[in-house]
């Protein structure tokens, strides 16, 4: 029997969904947004691939979608560390109709130049669905614990060094940009994330745990997690 429960964590706008069906659920909510059209912000890392494949299978027409990335590693787009490559292999190449626009963060450029390009492209953009992963250190996008990039408020995107592997420079949307999304979804799985989930969504809101800062957003933070990653959060 699959364990599925949802809870509104007290005193915060976190909707925690704990289910072993998290891949299907996240894939389906991505597909739902693709059918509706609008802007979808993708994440990188190892978690989202299966959900992307699910989304491509259930909603293969992305003709009304504008695709963004919340962050990118400063590598070429064909580098195995590229967040763009994760989406290309698990989503974009599987679609019957491609997105109307793809704002690839050009990781092959100098970090500041790639950040400036993203900052300019985001001017006036509305972000409908923001998909984020969660680092074991509590980072989201490439906003790492205690990093100066957390304090950038006069730009929509910025760049800086990695705070976790892979140790390459990063380009990232800034916190105000993340908080502006109309829907915020964090997809996390595995026992290795249990401490980060507990701190980010059950502990104090702190720059030391960047994901916790999502809780000041005007919209709920939806967390889709397996039981292992949610094992240490109270309630
Ligand atoms: C990145 C990602 C990052 C990712 C988390 C979780 O560039 O590293 O955008 O924010 O979502 O690090 O990564 P995993 O899914 O690989 O655990």
């Amino acid at each position: 029997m699959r364990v599925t429960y949802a809870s509104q964590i007290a005193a915060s706008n976190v909707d925690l969904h704990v289910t072993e069906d998290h891949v299907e659920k996240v894939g389906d909510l991505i597909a739902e947004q693709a059918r509706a059209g609008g802007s979808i912000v993708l994440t990188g890392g190892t978690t989202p691939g299966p959900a992307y494949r699910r989304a491509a299978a259930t909603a293969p027409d992305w003709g009304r979608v504008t695709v963004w990335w919340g962050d990118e590693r400063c590598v070429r787009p064909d580098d195995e560390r590229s967040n763009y490559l994760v989406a290309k292999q698990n989503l974009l190449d599987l679609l019957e109709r491609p997105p109307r626009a793809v704002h690839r963060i050009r990781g092959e450029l100098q970090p500041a130049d790639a950040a400036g390009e993203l900052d300019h492209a985001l001017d006036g953009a509305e972000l409908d669905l923001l998909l984020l992963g969660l680092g074991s250190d509590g980072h989201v996008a490439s906003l790492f614990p205690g990093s100066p990039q957390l304090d950038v408020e006069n730009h929509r995107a910025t760049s800086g060094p990695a705070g976790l592997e892979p140790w390459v420079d990063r380009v990232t949307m800034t916190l105000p940009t993340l908080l502006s999304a109309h829907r915020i979804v964090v997809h996390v799985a595995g026992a290795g994330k249990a401490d980060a989930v507990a701190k980010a969504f059950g502990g104090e809101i702190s720059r030391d745990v960047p994901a916790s800062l999502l809780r000041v957003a005007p919209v709920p933070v939806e967390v889709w997690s397996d039981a292992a990653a949610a094992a240490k959060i109270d309630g």
Side-chain angles (χ1 to χ4, degrees):
M1 182 183 77
R2 290 191 178 280
V3 175
T4 300
Y5 60 89
S7 64
Q8 232 284 344
I9 297 175
S12 77
N13 64 338
V14 176
D15 292 337
L16 175 63
H17 303 266
V18 183
T19 173
E20 297 314 309
D21 289 334
H22 55 93
V23 168
E24 292 81 357
K25 295 294 186 183
V26 173
D28 288 350
L29 69 84
I30 296 171
E32 175 190 358
Q33 185 67 60
R35 281 190 286 267
S39 287
I40 298 177
V41 183
L42 301 177
T43 184
T46 59
T47 303
Y52 290 164
R53 290 196 296 275
R54 166 86 171 199
T58 54
D61 177 347
W62 280 45
R64 299 172 62 208
V65 178
T66 296
V67 173
W68 303 86
W69 278 260
D71 72 321
E72 184 55 278
R73 290 85 178 269
C74 293
V75 296
R76 290 173 43 82
D78 58 357
D79 186 299
E80 65 178 9
R81 296 166 294 181
S82 165
N83 290 341
Y84 165 79
L85 190 61
V86 171
K88 182 180 188 298
Q89 293 174 333
N90 294 286
L91 176 65
L92 302 179
D93 286 353
L94 307 181
L95 297 177
E96 292 174 4
R97 190 170 171 204
R100 66 185 173 194
V102 175
H103 292 281
R104 180 177 71 83
I105 301 172
R106 293 203 291 164
E108 66 273 26
L109 300 181
Q110 287 300 311
D113 295 340
E117 194 172 74
L118 177 59
D119 183 67
H120 180 74
L122 283 167
D123 186 8
E126 295 285 329
L127 304 179
D128 294 297
L129 172 60
L130 168 64
L131 184 65
L132 292 167
L134 177 65
S136 57
D137 61 350
H139 81 262
V140 285
S142 281
L143 297 173
F144 295 97
S147 72
Q149 287 71 35
L150 280 171
D151 303 316
V152 176
E153 302 207 339
N154 59 341
H155 291 286
R156 302 170 196 86
T158 189
S159 62
L164 202 63
E165 74 280 352
W167 301 102
V168 291
D169 286 340
R170 308 296 187 89
V171 174
T172 185
M173 287 182 179
T174 55
L175 187 61
T177 303
L178 301 183
L179 297 175
S180 74
H182 298 163
R183 186 177 185 185
I184 299 173
V185 172
V186 179
H187 186 198
V188 56
K193 301 293 178 70
D195 285 332
V197 169
K199 289 175 183 173
F201 307 117
E204 294 298 313
I205 294 175
S206 162
R207 292 174 78 260
D208 296 334
V209 188
S212 70
L213 300 173
L214 296 173
R215 288 155 52 194
V216 307
V219 298
V221 180
E222 297 174 53
V223 180
W224 291 87
S225 172
D226 65 358
K232 295 184 177 178
I233 195 165
D234 291 337

